[in-house]
């Protein structure tokens, strides 16, 4: 949880808040998508997190990708901004959010895969047509849009 969100949560408890996210869908040379198995809810998803106060969205996406995977984004491509009722989520601790997620694609990256121990159980590449069934609900809209645009 970002420091900014921690501060907000101290004031509002578990009440719904708007949360600005920055995320990255990593695509390897074989066209497979890198997903992480999240420790908080046991679901698969792409990489990202909350934008800190006064942080650029691109910087947050790059930071989150490195923290969660050990990979450095050499280039990011804006994919889309996802919001609305389908992006609402209640975390296992009871915190309710309405996510606005700015999602980037990354095909140019460096480094070695290293899952962030406290947030990520596993990292795996999946062919887009063989994604796992237990996908994090707030990641479904962007992944569906990816499949729609690139898997014709």
């Amino acid at each position: 949880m970002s420091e900014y969100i921690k501060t907000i949560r101290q004031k509002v408890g578990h009440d719904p808040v708007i949360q600005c996210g920055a995320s990255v869908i990593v695509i390897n040379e074989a066209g497979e998508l890198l997903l992480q198995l999240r420790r908080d809810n046991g679901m698969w998803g792409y990489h990202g997190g909350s934008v800190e106060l006064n942080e650029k969205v691109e910087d947050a996406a790059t930071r989150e990708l490195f923290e969660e995977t050990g990979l450095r984004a050499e280039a990011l491509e804006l994919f889309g901004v996802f919001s609305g009722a389908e992006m609402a989520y209640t975390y296992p601790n009871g915190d309710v959010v309405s996510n606005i997620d700015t999602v980037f694609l990354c095909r140019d990256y460096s480094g070695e895969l290293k899952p962030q121990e406290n947030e990520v159980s596993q990292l795996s590449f999946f062919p887009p047509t063989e994604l796992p069934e237990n996908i994090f609900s707030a990641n479904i809209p962007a992944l569906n849009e990816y499949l729609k645009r690139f898997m014709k």
Side-chain angles (χ1 to χ4, degrees):
M1 180 182 310
S2 75
E3 290 304 313
Y4 177 69
I5 295 296
K6 284 180 188 175
T7 301
I8 296 297
R9 285 289 170 210
Q10 289 172 352
K11 297 175 184 194
V12 302
H14 298 300
D15 289 350
V17 297
I18 294 173
Q19 180 170 266
C20 179
S23 299
V24 182
I25 298 173
V26 174
I27 303 116
N28 69 11
E29 290 179 359
E32 299 169 317
L33 308 182
L34 179 64
L35 299 179
Q36 62 179 320
L37 186 58
R38 298 168 54 113
R39 287 195 186 276
D40 65 347
N41 60 19
M43 297 180 178
W44 289 94
Y46 48 74
H47 325 285
S50 297
V51 178
E52 291 286 352
L53 194 60
N54 297 317
E55 184 179 30
K56 291 182 179 181
V57 175
E58 299 91 329
D59 292 344
T62 300
R63 174 180 52 76
E64 288 287 341
L65 178 64
F66 180 72
E67 288 174 0
E68 294 177 357
T69 69
L71 299 180
R72 294 191 185 279
E74 302 298 335
L76 292 175
E77 172 189 343
L78 179 62
F79 178 61
V81 178
F82 298 85
S83 59
E86 63 189 353
M87 296 296 291
Y89 182 71
T90 302
Y91 284 94
N93 70 355
D95 289 351
V96 180
V97 295
S98 174
N99 286 304
I100 301 170
D101 195 15
T102 303
V103 180
F104 296 89
L105 301 180
C106 180
R107 293 180 176 89
D108 185 7
Y109 55 88
S110 61
E112 293 186 29
L113 287 178
K114 182 181 177 190
Q116 183 181 31
E117 288 185 22
N118 60 340
E119 288 188 28
V120 180
S121 297
Q122 183 180 346
L123 295 167
S124 293
F125 280 97
F126 293 91
T129 56
E130 298 176 25
L131 297 179
E133 290 187 19
N134 59 330
I135 297 285
F136 176 49
S137 62
N139 289 176
I140 291 173
L143 289 171
N144 283 342
E145 182 63 23
Y146 181 87
L147 294 174
K148 182 177 146 189
R149 285 193 211 175
F150 298 107
M151 302 311 299
K152 294 179 182 181

